[in-house]
Amino acid sequence: MDMMHTLQPAPLLDVRDVTLQYKTKAHLVTATYRVNFQVFKSDRYVLLGPSGCGKSTLLKAIGGYLNPTEGEIRLKDKLVCRPGPDRMMVFQEFDQLLPWKTVKENVMFPLLSSGKLKGKAAEEKAMQYIEKVKLDKFANHHPHMLSGGMKQRVAIARGMAMEPDVLLMDEPYAALDALTRRKMQDELLQLWDETHFTVLFVTHSIPEAIKCGSRILLLSPHPGQVKAELASVPRDELDPKAAKELENEIHHMLFSDEVEDKEVQHV
Ligand code: ADP
Ligand code: MG
């Protein structure tokens, strides 16, 4: 091992020069172009950019559902090429739970089907995380009896119960009303304070990125390219004026004309 290696912690997740494309019958759509970033253990890493800039596509590639056209994605130094229980995903939609299973059964499902835990141990682990998201009273309810926010809490508990290397969250609060959304953001930060899990969080909301993120990657509009990275975001509530200034600064960076790599070709 060389000196640099011993001094610098290895990234948990390493996204290197990742270009992602969709081939449809008529077109080749470039969703992201040569995106680079590294996520370290216990980061609250946020991908921020306007709709259509390829955030979901990037998250799907990290989830292993889509392979890069160019570049590579490594998790703990291993090439990502298929989905795995080391990366759990929480989506925006409220229909990500199995409707015929209870809250507890939904949270147990990946634990059992991955073979990670069996029987009583899976049930205990599920209940532990259901308590963390404050849904223990609803453990035996079915999803249709829950509000949108509660369904998202179940999806978060299900992801966290697997204790993945990284929890991938794709605009999990975007479909919630403003008050519930704020409450859920606070709860996520409380959960993080308890276990310091690593989360990769996608949003198009600048205030949400500032509130939830410890680091923020700014992506340009379609195709998504790295504009800048905010390496450390102050955790404590900024006073309203400072928060507004930071929001304006980020907005300016997101929509300025400069891009890191000018070789972009629109295809
Ligand atoms: P975001 O999540 O940032 O809103 P997406 O990753 O969903 O952006 O989409 C990035 C680009 O890729 C968009 O131009 C979108 O239209 C295109 N796209 C997304 N999914 C597909 C698909 N399955 N087939 C073709 N194009 C797609
Ligand atoms: Mg999206």
Side-chain angles (χ1 to χ4, degrees), residues 3-261:
M3 279 297 282
M4 285 309 288
H5 229 95
T6 47
L7 291 174
Q8 279 190 326
L12 183 71
L13 179 70
D14 194 0
V15 174
R16 284 190 221 156
D17 288 323
V18 168
T19 300
L20 295 163
Q21 293 179 320
Y22 292 103
K23 291 184 183 74
T24 63
K25 271 194 190 123
H27 301 282
L28 183 65
V29 180
T30 302
T32 69
Y33 186 73
R34 294 188 182 168
V35 169
N36 279 292
F37 65 94
Q38 295 183 324
V39 177
F40 294 87
K41 200 170 179 323
S42 298
D43 273 343
R44 285 174 280 111
Y45 201 93
V46 172
L47 303 179
L48 173 67
S51 277
C53 79
K55 304 181 295 299
S56 294
T57 306
L58 256 171
L59 220 55
K60 279 178 205 155
I62 292 161
Y65 300 100
L66 188 79
N67 287 317
T69 317
E70 191 181 20
E72 59 181 34
I73 300 169
R74 287 180 182 273
L75 182 69
K76 289 180 160 173
D77 219 28
K78 269 180 58 190
L79 208 58
V80 166
C81 42
R82 64 181 69 84
D86 48 4
R87 289 147 288 146
M88 293 297 289
M89 187 97 87
V90 177
F91 298 94
Q92 177 180 335
E93 294 77 21
F94 297 155
D95 64 359
Q96 58 193 303
L97 305 173
L98 297 168
W100 61 88
K101 287 187 183 288
T102 64
V103 166
K104 185 163 72 183
E105 288 165 350
N106 266 286
V107 178
M108 286 171 70
F109 186 71
L111 292 166
L112 295 170
S113 63
S114 68
K116 196 176 164 84
L117 293 175
K118 288 192 176 67
K120 198 80 196 150
E123 191 175 343
E124 276 167 16
K125 180 69 79 182
M127 282 312 298
Q128 183 190 330
Y129 281 92
I130 289 168
E131 278 162 28
K132 276 193 195 294
V133 298
K134 305 184 183 86
L135 284 180
D136 30 321
K137 289 196 184 75
F138 298 89
N140 295 316
H141 285 53
H142 284 83
H144 71 90
M145 302 170 84
L146 308 178
S147 68
M150 290 159 89
K151 287 180 193 171
Q152 294 310 78
R153 286 194 187 92
V154 179
I156 291 165
R158 179 178 61 183
M160 288 188 71
M162 287 292 284
E163 296 171 350
D165 288 326
V166 56
L167 186 67
L168 309 174
M169 302 180 88
D170 192 356
E171 311 224 28
Y173 310 142
L176 296 168
D177 64 87
L179 288 178
T180 309
R181 185 173 188 165
R182 284 184 61 171
K183 194 154 179 280
M184 297 287 291
Q185 292 165 347
D186 291 334
E187 284 179 16
L188 186 75
L189 291 171
Q190 280 167 22
L191 283 174
W192 187 86
D193 286 335
E194 283 174 32
T195 52
H196 289 213
F197 57 98
T198 311
V199 56
L200 180 55
F201 190 102
V202 160
T203 184
H204 67 261
S205 156
I206 298 175
E208 183 165 79
I210 295 172
K211 180 166 176 183
C212 296
S214 57
R215 297 166 67 207
I216 307 177
L217 192 75
L218 309 186
L219 294 167
S220 69
H222 181 71
Q225 286 180 273
V226 173
K227 279 274 189 179
E229 185 184 64
L230 301 190
S232 81
V233 182
R235 165 66 199 271
D236 297 321
E237 288 277 325
L238 294 162
D239 68 77
K241 189 161 168 276
K244 204 75 213 161
E245 274 168 18
L246 183 56
E247 279 178 34
N248 288 338
E249 206 176 310
I250 291 176
H251 189 273
H252 182 77
M253 282 193 265
L254 277 173
F255 295 102
S256 72
D257 289 333
E258 297 150 41
V259 281
E260 207 178 60
D261 190 336

